[in-house]
Amino acid sequence: MAIDQVHDLQQVYRNMLDCMARPGTITSLEQKTGLFEDQLSYNEAIFLCALTVLDAEVTFYIIADTDKGDKLAELISSYTMARVTSIEKADFIIVLQGDIKEEINKALSICKMGDLINPQQSATWIVETAALSNNGGVTIHGPGIKESKQLQTGLWNEFWQTRNSKVKEYPLGIDLIFVDALNQISCVPRTTSVKLTEVG
Amino acid sequence: MQTKPHFAFFDEGSKKEIRRATLKAVAIPGYQVPFASREMPIARGWGTGGLQLTLSLIGKKDVLKVIDQGADESVNAVSIKKLVQYTTGVALTDHTAEANIIQSRHRIPEHPLREDQILVLQVPNPEPLRKVDAREYMTKRMHAEDDYSGAWLILFEQIMKYGKMTTGAAHPVYVNGRYVMAPSPIPRFDNPKMYYSDALILLGAGREKKIYAVPPYTNVESLAFEDYPFSKESFKGKQCKLCGAEEVFLDEIINQETGDRTYQCNDTSYCMERLNSAQEKEVESSYA
C-alpha cells in the first residue's frame, strides 16, 4: 500500500502532536509498508515522521553505524527535498539503531538548542528505539503530564543525563520523538523533567 | 472550468510549515512561534490564524465546531465553517461534546473539554507586551530576558486609576511559570479554564504571524497582585432568562424602550442543550 501524502501524513501529524502535547503517551501509526518493504532496514515510523515534517525549507542529519544511514538520507532527500547538513546546523536529527553511543552523546552536546530570542531554532530528534512502553524506564513529569509517567525507551542513562543538561536553560533545549519497531511513537519535549530510575 | 479545491485548502508544503511551528509551540508553552502566515480567502485579523491551524489539523474523520463570541451561528463562525467543510467535507456540529476540533473566537465553551478535543483560538493581538513597546524586536527581547515588568505595570496603572484591574478581555497569563501570554480576547471568566485543561489549546494569530500553545495539564496563572487578587466577572444573583443557567458567562441585554436589563447565556449551544434537555424531561414526566 502506498503512502497517501495528504491523509496518511495528516494522521501521522496528529499522532505526533498528541504525543508532543502529552509527553510519554504512546500512540501507534498505521502500518503503511509495502512500497518500501525491500529497502527498509529501519522502522517505518522513522520514514513516516520524516515525510510529515521535512521539506525543502529544513535540514537534517542522520546518525547511523552502517551505510543504511546514507541510503535513508538519499530516500528522504528525494522524497522531501530536505538537505543533509552538519550536526551543528541540522533542524532534525534522525538516529537509527546501532552501535553509535558515542556519536549520539557527542551530537547531543553540539546540536542546535536555539537562543533566548528564538528558542524555536533548535533541533528536533527522531530516535529509533527497539520497543517503547510505559513500564519502567525513566520517570517523567511536567506540562502535558497529569501527575507523572514512566517511559521505557531502552536508551542508556548517559543519554538522558546529557539530554537533561541540554534542556537545563529552559526555554533552550531539544525536543525528542521516539519511534519503535511496532510503529509506535512517543515524545519528550524540552519542558519534561526526566528522572532516572533504572540502574545501569 | 472549476477544479476541486485541494483537501483542506492548503498545499501540503504550507501545512508542513504550520505543523512544524505548532509542534515547537507545544514544546515551548506560551512562546509565540513565528510562522509564514498564508494568504487566506478571509481578511487578516478575522480568524486566519485559527483557520490555518484548523486546516493543518483536520482530517476526514474529524468533527468540527466553530464559535464566534460563544455563538455557532454568527457570520465569522459560519463562513469559516463553510470554507472548511467545502474543502474537506468533514462533519460539522454545534454540540461541544461531539466535536473534536473546536475553533473559537473569544470564548472557551461552557461545556468542559475532554482529552481527545483540541481547542483552536483565534488571536488578533498575540503580544501581551505590545502596549509596552511597539517594536517586535524589543518585545521579543523582553520575553527572552524574562522581563515582564511592563505587563505588571499595565495592571498596576489600572489599579492606581480605577481601583481595580480593568482588563475587559485577554487578561495576561503566566504559562508554565515562564512566558507571559495573551490568552486571546477571552473574558477573565474563561482564564481559569486554561489551568490544567484536559484539552490541548492552540492559538493562532494570522495577521501577526504567530502560533502558540498551551499543552494539557499546564500551569496557567492569571497575573495578579497579593493585595489585588485576580477575579472573574461576577454574575452573582443573575441567571439566563431562557434556560435559567447560573455560574456561566452571561450577555447583558438592555431593552431600549423600557431600559430593563435581562441576561442570556453567551454560549448559545450550551443554552440550547439545556433548553432541549429540560423540554425532554418535561415531556417524559407528563407522559408518565
Side-chain angles (χ1 to χ4, degrees), chain B residues 29-32 126-129 143 146-149 151-152 171-175 177-183 212 221 223:
Chain B
Y31 170 72
Q32 303 164 48
E127 183 51 74
L129 300 171
H143 283 292
D146 207 347
D147 172 12
Y148 291 117
S149 42
W152 290 104
H171 186 97
V173 291
Y174 249 110
V175 182
R178 174 58 177 84
Y179 283 105
V180 166
M181 175 189 99
Y212 52 111
E221 262 179 295
L223 265 63

Side-chain angles (χ1 to χ4, degrees), chain A residues 72-108:
Chain A
L72 177 62
E74 217 182 287
L75 194 66
I76 290 177
S77 284
S78 61
Y79 270 84
T80 66
M81 319 267 280
R83 286 157 296 132
V84 178
T85 184
S86 63
I87 302 175
E88 295 94 328
K89 288 184 187 155
D91 299 310
F92 290 88
I93 292 175
I94 298 170
V95 182
L96 299 184
Q97 275 183 293
D99 189 18
I100 39 173
K101 263 191 192 183
E102 267 178 37
E103 284 157 66
I104 293 178
N105 287 337
K106 187 182 144 223
L108 265 178

Side-chain angles (χ1 to χ4, degrees), chain B:
Chain B
M1 195 187 83
Q2 201 178 10
T3 48
K4 270 182 77 179
H6 187 65
F7 183 83
F9 185 78
F10 280 133
D11 57 286
E12 293 306 303
S14 300
K15 284 185 203 166
K16 267 186 193 175
E17 202 262 342
I18 297 167
R19 286 170 182 173
R20 280 198 300 262
T22 312
L23 287 171
K24 280 275 159 63
V26 170
I28 317 170
Y31 170 72
Q32 303 164 48
V33 182
F35 81 113
S37 183
R38 278 356 190 223
E39 198 75 38
M40 299 302 291
I42 59 172
R44 284 200 165 143
W46 287 93
T48 51
L51 182 60
Q52 290 181 69
L53 279 173
T54 301
L55 291 172
S56 76
L57 290 167
I58 207 154
K60 283 188 275 192
K61 288 178 201 152
D62 286 317
V63 181
L64 178 72
K65 171 185 165 85
V66 183
I67 44 176
D68 170 7
Q69 301 265 15
D72 293 89
E73 278 99 25
S74 76
V75 179
N76 192 233
V78 171
S79 27
I80 287 172
K81 258 188 276 198
K82 274 188 182 163
L83 177 72
V84 178
Q85 198 188 29
Y86 178 65
T87 56
T88 60
V90 296
L92 301 175
T93 183
D94 286 351
H95 299 286
T96 306
E98 283 172 10
N100 55 1
I101 297 177
I102 300 164
Q103 183 176 333
S104 168
R105 172 174 180 261
H106 305 187
R107 271 315 303 282
I108 295 176
E110 301 291 355
H111 207 288
L113 299 178
R114 292 188 314 265
E115 277 204 0
D116 60 327
Q117 296 178 309
I118 299 177
L119 177 68
V120 175
L121 287 168
Q122 305 170 195
V123 190
N125 300 307
E127 183 51 74
L129 300 171
R130 187 56 71 228
K131 273 189 203 159
V132 181
D133 201 309
R135 291 165 295 178
E136 173 72 6
Y137 175 76
M138 290 308 290
T139 51
K140 244 178 126 53
R141 251 201 129 102
M142 287 176 206
H143 283 292
E145 288 166 0
D146 207 347
D147 172 12
Y148 291 117
S149 42
W152 290 104
L153 201 60
I154 292 173
L155 297 176
F156 177 74
E157 281 179 352
Q158 290 173 357
I159 293 170
M160 292 321 282
K161 273 189 195 160
Y162 309 108
K164 59 176 182 181
M165 291 186 275
T166 53
T167 44
H171 186 97
V173 291
Y174 249 110
V175 182
N176 192 26
R178 174 58 177 84
Y179 283 105
V180 166
M181 175 189 99
S184 87
I186 53 173
R188 272 175 288 143
F189 188 87
D190 286 345
N191 274 17
K193 291 180 191 166
M194 284 191 166
Y195 175 83
Y196 271 74
S197 147
D198 284 328
L200 168 64
I201 304 171
L202 299 176
L203 301 99
R207 186 186 53 203
E208 307 293 325
K209 305 184 176 176
K210 294 287 170 64
I211 285 173
Y212 52 111
V214 177
Y217 314 121
T218 298
N219 186 10
V220 179
E221 262 179 295
S222 302
L223 265 63
F225 299 94
E226 265 173 40
D227 47 350
Y228 283 87
F230 172 79
S231 64
K232 300 199 281 183
E233 290 86 353
S234 164
F235 299 101
K236 222 174 171 191
K238 293 163 191 150
Q239 56 176 31
C240 172
K241 69 165 178 182
L242 298 174
C243 70
E246 288 168 7
E247 304 287 315
V248 294
F249 193 78
L250 296 170
D251 283 338
E252 188 182 59
I253 297 161
I254 302 173
N255 186 325
Q256 296 283 354
E257 282 157 19
T258 61
D260 286 346
R261 282 155 202 263
T262 50
Y263 295 88
Q264 203 171 308
C265 288
N266 173 265
D267 186 335
T268 53
S269 72
Y270 178 79
C271 194
M272 194 62 87
E273 275 168 31
R274 275 177 58 91
L275 284 172
N276 285 339
S277 75
Q279 199 164 37
E280 266 168 41
K281 269 183 210 153
E282 207 178 301
V283 172
E284 268 169 34
S285 61
S286 64
Y287 273 102

Side-chain angles (χ1 to χ4, degrees), chain A:
Chain A
M1 192 165 58
I3 296 171
D4 181 333
Q5 287 261 9
V6 178
H7 301 290
D8 290 343
L9 296 188
Q10 182 266 340
Q11 287 290 323
V12 176
Y13 167 61
R14 284 289 286 277
N15 277 304
M16 287 168 93
L17 181 65
D18 199 32
C19 290
M20 196 60 93
R22 297 162 207 282
T25 300
I26 298 170
T27 67
S28 47
L29 307 176
E30 217 176 303
Q31 208 81 32
K32 288 290 167 205
T33 351
L35 187 63
F36 306 100
E37 224 160 39
D38 47 339
Q39 298 169 329
L40 282 180
S41 49
Y42 40 83
N43 296 345
E44 186 198 62
I46 284 258
F47 190 65
L48 287 173
C49 289
L51 280 186
T52 308
V53 289
L54 292 173
D55 63 18
E57 290 172 27
V58 293
T59 54
F60 68 101
Y61 183 87
I62 295 183
I63 307 176
D65 62 346
T66 53
D67 64 336
K68 66 181 180 180
D70 298 333
K71 274 190 195 159
L72 177 62
E74 217 182 287
L75 194 66
I76 290 177
S77 284
S78 61
Y79 270 84
T80 66
M81 319 267 280
R83 286 157 296 132
V84 178
T85 184
S86 63
I87 302 175
E88 295 94 328
K89 288 184 187 155
D91 299 310
F92 290 88
I93 292 175
I94 298 170
V95 182
L96 299 184
Q97 275 183 293
D99 189 18
I100 39 173
K101 263 191 192 183
E102 267 178 37
E103 284 157 66
I104 293 178
N105 287 337
K106 187 182 144 223
L108 265 178
S109 50
I110 62 171
C111 72
K112 280 204 295 191
M113 58 194 286
D115 57 40
L116 285 168
I117 302 257
N118 285 306
Q120 82 280 10
Q121 288 169 2
S122 56
T124 303
W125 285 55
I126 305 175
V127 184
E128 185 182 42
T129 61
L132 291 167
S133 80
N134 288 122
N135 299 320
V138 291
T139 308
I140 54 175
H141 64 92
I145 306 164
K146 213 168 186 176
E147 276 148 9
S148 74
K149 256 194 196 130
Q150 300 278 111
L151 182 66
Q152 177 62 265
T153 55
L155 289 162
W156 51 98
N157 278 350
E158 206 187 330
F159 174 87
W160 288 114
Q161 281 157 359
T162 322
R163 180 264 176 196
N164 283 350
S165 62
K166 190 84 180 174
V167 299
K168 233 178 205 165
E169 207 181 330
Y170 179 78
L172 310 187
I174 52 166
D175 310 310
L176 305 165
I177 301 169
F178 298 103
V179 303
D180 76 0
L182 295 168
N183 263 11
Q184 299 187 112
I185 66 170
S186 188
C187 296
V188 176
R190 66 193 74 185
T191 48
T192 306
S193 102
V194 176
K195 268 197 204 120
L196 300 168
T197 39
E198 54 196 349
V199 194

